[in-house]
Amino acid sequence: MKLTQLFTRTCVAALLAGGLAHAAMADQLDDIKKAGKVRVAIAMGTPLFSFADANLQPVGSDVETAQQLAKDLGVKLEIVSITNAARIPTLQANRADLVVADLSITPERAKVVDFSVPYAVITIIVGGPKNIPIKDYADLNGKRIGLTRATVNDTLTTQLGKGAEIVRYEDDATLITSMVTGQVEIFSSTPSNLAEMIKRAPEKNLELKFAQKDFDLGIALNQNQPRLKEWVNNWVAANMRNGKLDAIYVKYHGRHLPASVTKQ
């Protein structure tokens, strides 16, 4: 091989290696800053977390969290409205940069997406009319129970409520409507959704039957985005220290975040 050919090939190889190294170092954080906006997927229609106000504007603890995040990142917020079932698929399809949608951190989900440190919590409950005695999963045997598809409610109730007939809905808004209109009498959801059901149908005498589990909520992002994940984790930690995330939670949920989240 001639010396000039060897030199040329060596230069080309170096350039390619340099390009690959740059691509490997590239991170979604750079893309967000370059675009001047962050696309955040939010499951609208979830009372207290994300819903439309009287002027049809998005509000709620998740909405305000996303707004604060975009502000601190120095970019505009683009809300990508989704259903609960579409939270992870939307991220994987790159239709959103982040998911702030009352998404519980679970080992199964952590296999396909990354999570920030917890920014909030959610309590999962079973509720129904006062005249139906339900104390635990065994009492769900033979009963129809409504819940939202692809949620921790779905996973827990499927695993532990073996004898129950599970009716799955695509989002919380549809689940609430089904309870209010009498399509189902028992549900697995959240205290905030129970409050909305009571507000819309007080005559049904709905109450909390038993708490299923408390879950930490994380901001989800695609895997292999170390700089974006580091920025989000640092942002959550800073806003836990300055009290902003707790204040947002109190504003909509009427209670403080637990110490397990605020003291991380």
Side-chain angles (χ1 to χ4, degrees):
M1 181 180 295
K2 293 182 180 180
L3 183 60
T4 54
Q5 290 177 316
L6 179 61
F7 177 75
T8 300
R9 292 187 179 185
T10 300
C11 289
V12 171
L15 288 170
L16 287 172
L20 290 172
H22 177 75
M25 291 172 62
D27 189 274
Q28 205 166 356
L29 181 62
D30 300 315
D31 297 333
I32 292 169
K33 290 182 176 180
K34 184 177 180 180
K37 67 178 181 181
V38 59
R39 303 169 300 161
V40 180
I42 300 179
M44 297 303 297
T46 305
L48 306 187
F49 285 98
S50 46
F51 57 98
D53 65 11
N55 297 315
L56 300 181
Q57 295 301 306
V59 293
S61 59
D62 276 347
V63 174
E64 197 161 322
T65 296
Q67 290 170 338
Q68 186 67 49
L69 184 150
K71 178 182 178 181
D72 293 342
L73 187 53
V75 297
K76 294 180 180 179
L77 171 64
E78 179 183 319
I79 294 178
V80 181
S81 183
I82 55 170
T83 63
N84 290 84
R87 289 176 294 186
I88 289 177
T90 297
L91 190 61
Q92 293 175 315
N94 197 34
R95 293 195 294 272
D97 304 305
L98 301 169
V99 175
V100 183
D102 59 290
L103 190 60
S104 301
I105 302 170
T106 67
E108 294 77 15
R109 289 170 175 164
K111 292 176 183 177
V112 293
V113 298
D114 272 350
F115 283 101
S116 71
V117 294
Y119 74 96
V121 295
I122 192 168
T123 302
I124 306 305
I125 65 166
V126 167
K130 293 180 180 180
N131 63 348
I132 300 179
I134 298 173
K135 294 181 180 180
D136 53 32
Y137 288 103
D139 292 330
L140 297 178
N141 186 42
K143 295 181 174 65
R144 293 177 82 238
I145 180 168
L147 49 76
T148 304
R149 186 187 308 277
T151 59
V152 287
N153 313 66
D154 193 349
T155 302
L156 275 175
T157 308
T158 300
Q159 290 176 347
L160 301 175
K162 298 293 186 181
E165 178 189 349
I166 298 175
V167 183
R168 295 175 173 85
Y169 297 94
E170 293 303 316
D171 53 44
D172 286 352
T174 309
L175 170 63
I176 291 169
T177 299
S178 74
M179 283 293 300
V180 170
T181 58
Q183 296 176 47
V184 288
E185 284 191 309
I186 304 164
F187 70 92
S188 169
S189 191
T190 63
S192 57
N193 283 345
L194 170 59
E196 182 65 17
M197 294 170 190
I198 293 173
K199 176 182 176 182
R200 292 171 56 180
E203 73 283 355
K204 291 190 175 295
N205 294 315
L206 298 176
E207 65 177 6
L208 187 155
K209 293 300 184 181
F210 67 91
Q212 294 176 266
K213 194 172 182 179
D214 287 332
F215 283 93
D216 290 339
L217 302 180
I219 297 173
L221 64 155
N222 277 316
Q223 294 178 333
N224 303 314
Q225 300 294 332
R227 290 181 56 240
L228 179 58
K229 183 176 181 179
E230 180 183 23
W231 188 93
V232 174
N233 278 338
N234 288 339
W235 179 83
V236 172
N239 283 277
M240 283 297 178
R241 288 193 299 271
N242 64 29
K244 287 183 180 179
L245 285 173
D246 185 57
I248 289 172
Y249 198 79
V250 170
K251 177 180 178 180
Y252 292 97
H253 299 268
R255 61 188 177 110
H256 289 280
L257 289 168
S260 60
V261 171
T262 59
K263 303 300 182 183
Q264 56 187 312

